[in-house]
């Protein structure tokens, strides 16, 4: 009976810890742009043509900036498969070749793939420049981020139509604030550590003391 109680206490403590950390695990699956430009509104679901990689995204959200027929937009697409870094780079090269193959090269231009660090991971990006009669009409920064931890691939696209958004450093800086899992402040983690330490201390104090063994008689 004593052994059963000793096993029951740590199991109960672990259950309490799991309940405390369960909401944290649920929040880790949320992806978002950390610093969306002022005026951009989140659209929980949206559709956007010209996928950067083959297939249909499993999940997709957008941030849109209202105005005009082709509004500024940030698109986050999630594909439920993890590409390699080389495959991510080649997918952007194929996209550029496909769009410039049918005489469209007179109106648009793609940069060479460029390495970019997003969410602590290695991504590849290209800049698409769309030109019109009066010069540059639109800039699009497209990034492909393989995520081995989540076993998926993120495709990020920032379409800048408004003049103040047609700025490559600004587009790049915005996309690098993307987080597939929100960064939690340190204070809640410290509070959780204190709770865990308190539960462990209570368990240690509740353990029955081991009986002191009687001294053995000296050998004759």
């Amino acid at each position: 009976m004593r052994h059963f109680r000793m096993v029951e206490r740590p199991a109960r403590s672990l259950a309490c810890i799991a309940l405390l950390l369960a909401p944290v695990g649920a929040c880790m699956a949320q992806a978002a742009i950390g610093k969306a430009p002022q005026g951009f509104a989140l659209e929980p679901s949206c559709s956007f043509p010209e996928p950067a990689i083959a297939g249909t995204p499993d999940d997709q959200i957008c941030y849109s900036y209202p105005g005009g027929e082709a509004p500024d937009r940030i698109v986050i697409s999630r594909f439920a498969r993890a590409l390699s870094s080389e495959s991510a780079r080649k997918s952007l090269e194929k996209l550029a070749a496909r769009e410039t193959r049918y005489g469209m090269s007179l109106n648009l231009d793609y940069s060479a793939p460029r390495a970019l660090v997003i969410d602590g991971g290695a991504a590849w990006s290209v800049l698409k420049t769309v030109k019109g009669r009066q010069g540059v009409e639109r800039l699009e920064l497209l990034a492909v981020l393989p995520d081995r931890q989540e076993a998926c691939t993120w495709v990020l696209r920032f379409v800048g139509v408004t003049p103040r958004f047609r700025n490559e450093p600004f587009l790049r800086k915005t996309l690098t604030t993307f987080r597939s899992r929100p960064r939690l402040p340190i204070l809640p983690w410290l509070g959780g550590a204190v709770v865990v330490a308190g539960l462990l201390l209570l368990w240690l104090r509740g353990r029955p003391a081991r009986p002191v063994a009687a001294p053995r008689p000296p050998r004759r």
Side-chain angles (χ1 to χ4, degrees):
M1 189 65 177
R2 178 181 299 174
H3 175 73
F4 173 76
R5 289 180 178 177
M6 292 179 65
V7 174
E8 182 184 15
R9 285 193 182 96
R12 190 178 302 169
S13 300
L14 290 176
C16 294
I17 296 172
L19 290 174
L20 288 171
L21 296 182
V24 176
C27 294
M28 298 292 270
Q30 298 177 357
I33 294 293
K35 295 182 180 180
Q38 186 176 4
F40 276 73
L42 176 63
E43 298 179 21
S45 61
C46 64
S47 60
F48 197 84
E50 304 173 5
I53 62 179
T56 303
D58 295 89
D59 298 291
Q60 191 163 262
I61 60 174
C62 295
Y63 295 81
S64 62
Y65 185 82
E69 298 180 357
D72 306 88
R73 179 171 290 185
I74 301 173
V75 184
I76 302 175
S77 306
R78 174 184 167 275
F79 293 80
R81 65 184 187 277
L83 296 180
S84 65
S85 177
E86 182 66 13
S87 297
R89 183 182 63 82
K90 288 184 177 180
S91 67
L92 293 175
E93 292 178 343
K94 291 179 180 179
L95 175 64
R98 184 170 64 247
E99 290 198 356
T100 57
R101 184 179 304 165
Y102 302 103
M104 298 174 61
S105 58
L106 298 177
N107 298 324
L108 63 86
D109 178 65
Y110 270 93
S111 68
R114 176 180 172 183
L116 192 64
V117 177
I118 301 177
D119 196 25
W124 287 97
S125 66
V126 292
L127 182 69
K128 176 181 177 180
T129 304
V130 180
K131 300 177 181 179
R133 295 180 178 179
Q134 299 180 356
V136 177
E137 293 183 348
R138 184 174 67 190
L139 282 185
E140 296 185 22
L141 184 65
L142 186 63
V144 179
L145 172 64
D147 190 339
R148 295 300 181 91
Q149 184 175 350
E150 296 291 333
C152 67
T153 301
W154 300 96
V155 177
L156 314 175
R157 184 192 298 259
F158 193 159
V159 182
V161 180
T162 303
R164 66 191 182 99
F165 298 141
R166 295 201 301 261
N167 182 297
E168 180 183 359
F170 178 80
L171 302 182
R172 194 172 300 276
K173 182 179 179 180
T174 301
L175 289 190
T176 54
T177 66
F178 168 77
R179 296 292 180 264
S180 59
R181 294 163 295 277
R183 298 297 188 262
L184 298 176
I186 191 172
L187 288 180
W189 284 104
L190 290 178
V194 172
V195 172
V196 172
L199 292 174
L200 181 60
L201 182 60
L202 290 175
W203 175 69
L204 291 175
R205 289 185 175 181
R207 290 194 306 172
R210 295 183 179 180
V212 180
R216 296 180 179 180
R219 293 182 180 179
R220 296 182 179 180

